[in-house]
């Protein structure tokens, strides 16, 4: 997908891959890491708002968006190393890291591998290890894409995993719009499938206690992917973490309750941004 009109974009050669990213605004940096099915365009509203106070870096992972796409094995540690190297190239010594879903898992690895680079860590609809039901949902979404070879079929199957029953029934136009965005993907299906496997292999539960920076955990109480049990595993191992639950919402709680999400997230960034 193309960057939203008006945002500044760039490309950097990083570890043998071209990494495309939005580079918007000025101020203390914020690194935004998208989820498995997305790219940097998932952050359009946040870039517009947070770019008024921060330098916002929103990359496409390799295998997504306008970054290099190759059908090859990949791990979340590979993707974390890409972003640490991107920060090096941009001469960003320290930043807030905000990750949604897969992006939160990548953020955990960055915080573990390079703690000096992470001012704060926000984990949105994410986990450090999947529950069995989350794994089944990921398998099902991947297998539909593999069997049908169609992003439209994948989108139609996946959308009930992303929003709550209440939201799905009450907002047919918004649901159809999100489904259409997923269905219009020009991404290589193979790169999604590779990252789907990489996400399921993620397990840093035993190391979460090493993360010392401020942490914000946000979760949807109706999320089948990164559900309440997986969230509780993180909360129990991150005693410094703040936890905000969107009890009636699902994986896309930031779409179901956008005002509350933006208020909580913006407040967290404000409180943990160093003084100039």
């Amino acid at each position: 997908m193309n960057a939203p009109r008006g945002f500044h974009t760039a490309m950097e050669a990083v570890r043998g891959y071209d990494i495309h990213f939005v580079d918007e605004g000025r101020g203390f940096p914020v690194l935004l890491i998208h989820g498995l099915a997305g790219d940097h365009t998932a952050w359009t509203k946040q870039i517009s708002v947070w770019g008024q106070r921060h330098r916002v870096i929103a990359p496409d992972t390799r295998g997504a968006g306008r970054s290099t796409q190759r059908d090859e094995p990949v791990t979340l540690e590979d993707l974390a190393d890409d972003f640490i190297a991107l920060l090096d190239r941009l001469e960003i010594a320290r930043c807030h890291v905000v990750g949604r879903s897969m992006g939160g898992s990548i953020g955990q690895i960055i915080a573990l591998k390079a703690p000096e680079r992470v001012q704060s860590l926000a984990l949105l609809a994410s986990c450090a290890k999947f529950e069995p039901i989350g794994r089944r949902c990921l398998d099902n979404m991947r297998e539909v894409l593999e069997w049908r070879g169609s992003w439209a079929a994948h989108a139609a199957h996946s959308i009930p995993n992303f929003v709550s029953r209440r939201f799905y029934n009450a907002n047919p136009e918004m649901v159809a719009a999100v489904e259409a965005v997923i269905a219009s993907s020009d991404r290589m299906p193979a790169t999604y499938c590779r990252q789907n496997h990489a996400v399921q292999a993620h397990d840093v539960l035993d190391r979460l206690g090493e993360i010392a920076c401020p942490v914000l955990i946000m979760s949807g109480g109706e999320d089948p992917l990164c559900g309440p049990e997986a969230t509780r595993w993180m909360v129990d191992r991150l005693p410094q973490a703040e936890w905000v639950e969107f009890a009636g919402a699902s994986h896309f709680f930031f779409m179901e309750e956008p005002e509350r999400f933006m208020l909580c997230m913006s407040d967290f960034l404000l409180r943990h941004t160093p003084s100039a």
Side-chain angles (χ1 to χ4, degrees), residues 44-219:
T44 300
K45 180 178 181 180
Q46 288 73 37
I47 295 169
S48 296
V49 173
W50 298 336
Q52 298 174 31
R53 289 178 172 268
H54 299 275
R55 181 183 179 185
V56 178
I57 307 298
D60 297 328
T61 67
R62 68 163 96 159
R66 293 173 59 191
S67 293
T68 300
Q69 297 191 28
R70 297 178 191 155
D71 182 6
E72 62 184 10
V74 67
T75 67
L76 295 196
E77 186 169 353
D78 292 330
L79 303 183
D81 287 341
D82 290 348
F83 292 149
I84 293 170
L86 178 63
L87 294 176
D88 290 340
R89 292 295 297 267
L90 299 179
E91 299 183 344
I92 294 175
R94 193 169 177 86
C95 63
H96 298 296
V97 176
V98 181
R100 54 191 285 182
S101 196
M102 179 185 77
S105 297
I106 295 169
Q108 295 161 27
I109 297 171
I110 294 173
L112 289 167
K113 296 193 72 170
E116 73 283 357
R117 312 299 291 269
V118 181
Q119 176 70 16
S120 74
L121 177 63
L123 306 175
L124 316 179
S126 188
C127 65
K129 179 182 179 180
F130 278 94
E131 304 171 55
I133 190 170
R135 294 182 185 278
R136 174 55 61 88
C137 289
L138 286 165
D139 282 338
N140 289 350
M141 291 190 292
R142 187 191 69 252
E143 288 169 354
V144 166
L145 184 60
E146 290 172 330
W147 295 341
R148 298 286 297 277
S150 163
W151 282 111
H154 168 80
H157 178 82
S158 300
I159 197 70
N161 292 326
F162 297 151
V163 299
S164 66
R165 176 182 288 117
R166 174 195 56 80
F167 187 88
Y168 187 100
N169 290 337
N171 299 275
E173 292 183 359
M174 290 184 67
V175 170
V178 173
E179 187 173 327
V181 169
I182 299 171
S184 67
S185 177
D186 58 1
R187 180 180 185 177
M188 289 175 58
T191 63
Y192 168 87
C193 294
R194 294 283 195 177
Q195 290 189 5
N196 184 295
H197 287 296
V199 165
Q200 293 202 53
H202 179 66
D203 181 359
V204 296
L205 272 182
D206 291 342
R207 297 194 60 199
L208 285 185
E210 299 173 31
I211 297 176
C213 68
V215 178
L216 174 63
I217 297 171
M218 287 188 175
S219 63

Side-chain angles (χ1 to χ4, degrees), residues 209-270:
E210 299 173 31
I211 297 176
C213 68
V215 178
L216 174 63
I217 297 171
M218 287 188 175
S219 63
E222 302 296 324
D223 186 352
L225 290 164
C226 299
E229 185 172 358
T231 299
R232 175 56 67 181
W233 292 341
M234 292 195 299
V235 171
D236 289 346
R237 290 164 174 80
L238 290 165
Q240 81 277 29
E242 302 173 39
W243 178 25
V244 177
E245 183 181 41
F246 297 77
S250 188
H251 199 62
F252 284 4
F253 57 76
F254 28 79
M255 184 174 73
E256 297 194 44
E257 298 187 44
E259 293 182 2
R260 183 185 175 204
F261 165 68
M262 288 299 292
L263 181 64
C264 293
M265 192 66 239
S266 296
D267 174 69
F268 180 76
L269 293 175
L270 179 64

